[in-house]
Amino acid sequence: MTTSYLQSDSIAPLSIETFRDLGNFIHSKIGIKMPDAKRNMVESRLHKRLINLNMRSYKEYCNYLFSPQGIERELPEFINQITTNKTDFFREPDHFKFLMERALPDIVSSLKNSGRNKISLWCAACSRGHEPYTTAMILSEFSRKNPRAALTFSILATDISTQVLDVAKKAVYSHDEIEPVPIELRKKYILRAKNRKKDLVRISPELRKMVQFRWINLVSSDLKIREPMDVIFCRNVMIYFDKKTQEKLIRNLCSHLKYRGYLFVGHSEVLNCHNTPLEPMGHAIYHKTSMD
């Protein structure tokens, strides 16, 4: 482990030129736009990394990060520091209500005609796991209410941050974090820690086994997802991309969505459905209505 000898105040401030170099690098690697107004945020988030790496300036850090060695060793940590991972259980709850009451019944109706009984769902920016585990609760509840359908489920949960994926896989959260989960679902799907003083909970094994976690960069041309999805959640991601990157992502998401599948985006994200096979079904909810 590297030992740091630098003092915090010995690091020169992040210059606008170096910040823009970082911004261009961020955009080229993960599609995130970084306007000048974000300079203080980036400087703050990277400050401890420079101290840990015994670097005296952000320019020195850039030289390392942009090198082949830096891209291999430092890029994952850089992404962990830069990306925003705001998340909650049952965030934007009307989406989960729509999923339970309209999307899933419609998908089951399509399954009857195809002879399949499996529903596949992708949480495309899963952060610390709140969204995929919320979805797993909804799918489990739907299955309990429709036993004759004999449904099986798979949830793919992906993110670009290795740090949040590690948290999601452990499925351990503070008691405060589960406050948005309805009481009846907490009793079924959330386990209290044996040591009550720790005030921690864990998602039940029943839900954990439904979710597969994987690292994915959404701006990659090949996401290496071979199974088409009935439902895709890609919420509050596109707000960080420029228009060109957003359009590329929407096309990519559509290519992984089954005919008559559903796409959920963030409430502040409005898609231009022109030249896409999508039609709006509700606030930030879209239905794939053609095979294109």
Side-chain angles (χ1 to χ4, degrees):
M1 179 181 293
T2 301
T3 302
S4 174
Y5 300 99
L6 288 181
Q7 296 297 318
S8 176
D9 59 2
S10 66
I11 298 174
L14 174 60
S15 70
I16 189 65
E17 294 81 6
T18 302
F19 168 76
R20 287 173 179 169
D21 288 341
L22 276 171
N24 291 334
F25 180 79
I26 295 166
H27 185 267
S28 69
K29 293 297 181 183
I30 58 178
I32 292 177
K33 59 185 179 181
M34 200 63 66
D36 290 351
K38 298 286 187 180
R39 178 163 54 138
N40 289 341
M41 180 203 76
V42 171
E43 180 175 6
S44 174
R45 291 187 180 184
L46 291 179
H47 194 259
K48 287 185 179 180
R49 283 303 295 162
L50 269 68
I51 294 174
N52 291 340
L53 293 169
N54 285 312
M55 293 183 176
R56 298 182 179 277
S57 70
Y58 290 92
K59 183 65 175 177
E60 182 182 359
Y61 179 78
C62 284
N63 292 338
Y64 171 57
L65 178 63
F66 300 166
S67 70
Q69 183 185 45
I71 288 175
E72 179 182 352
R73 297 183 180 180
E74 180 63 17
L75 182 56
E77 183 60 38
F78 173 73
I79 291 172
N80 289 340
Q81 298 300 323
I82 291 300
T83 50
T84 300
N85 298 292
K86 165 65 178 171
T87 181
D88 296 295
F89 287 102
F90 285 89
R91 187 181 184 186
E92 300 174 350
D94 55 306
H95 279 175
F96 297 103
K97 186 175 188 294
F98 185 98
L99 180 65
M100 171 69 87
E101 297 179 358
R102 297 185 59 183
L104 288 175
D106 182 46
I107 292 167
V108 169
S109 177
S110 299
L111 290 176
K112 291 178 181 178
N113 298 326
S114 68
R116 296 184 299 109
N117 69 337
K118 180 181 178 181
I119 295 178
S120 299
L121 187 144
W122 176 22
C123 293
C126 71
S127 188
R128 298 173 63 249
H130 297 70
E131 182 178 87
Y133 291 131
T134 298
T135 305
M137 292 181 205
I138 296 297
L139 296 179
S140 294
E141 288 297 293
F142 184 83
S143 182
R144 291 174 191 269
K145 295 176 181 179
N146 299 273
R148 292 184 180 180
L151 297 170
T152 62
F153 305 101
S154 70
I155 301 174
L156 174 63
T158 70
D159 204 276
I160 197 167
S161 169
T162 57
Q163 193 172 59
V164 297
L165 286 173
D166 287 342
V167 174
K169 291 172 185 176
K170 292 174 184 175
V172 176
Y173 303 99
S174 69
H175 194 269
D176 288 344
E177 288 179 270
I178 65 166
E179 285 299 320
V181 180
I183 293 293
E184 63 273 17
L185 299 185
R186 290 188 218 174
K187 292 177 180 178
K188 290 181 183 179
Y189 302 117
I190 297 178
L191 309 175
R192 291 293 301 269
K194 292 181 180 179
N195 185 348
R196 296 300 176 91
K197 292 182 180 179
K198 292 186 176 181
D199 200 31
L200 296 176
V201 299
R202 193 178 194 193
I203 303 301
S204 70
E206 175 188 350
L207 297 192
R208 296 203 307 270
K209 70 181 182 182
M210 292 172 62
V211 185
Q212 175 192 2
F213 291 97
R214 191 192 307 174
W215 183 93
I216 280 182
N217 182 352
L218 289 176
V219 302
S220 297
S221 297
D222 184 2
L223 301 178
K224 294 182 170 58
I225 296 176
R226 305 299 175 228
E227 179 183 21
M229 300 291 167
D230 295 289
V231 177
I232 297 176
F233 280 84
C234 188
R235 304 190 300 171
N236 306 300
V237 177
M238 286 180 283
I239 55 174
Y240 299 106
F241 296 158
D242 59 26
K243 185 177 180 181
K244 184 177 180 180
T245 306
Q246 290 174 359
E247 291 173 350
K248 176 184 176 182
L249 176 58
I250 293 168
R251 289 194 300 270
N252 220 345
L253 293 176
C254 287
S255 71
H256 290 87
L257 189 63
K258 292 178 184 175
Y259 169 59
R260 295 190 66 180
Y262 289 85
L263 171 64
F264 294 80
V265 300
H267 278 191
S268 63
E269 299 168 324
V270 179
L271 304 189
N272 180 358
C273 294
H274 183 63
N275 293 327
T276 75
L278 300 173
E279 289 188 6
M281 292 292 291
H283 189 31
I285 304 169
Y286 298 86
H287 194 205
K288 187 172 180 177
T289 55
S290 77
M291 301 294 288
D292 298 338

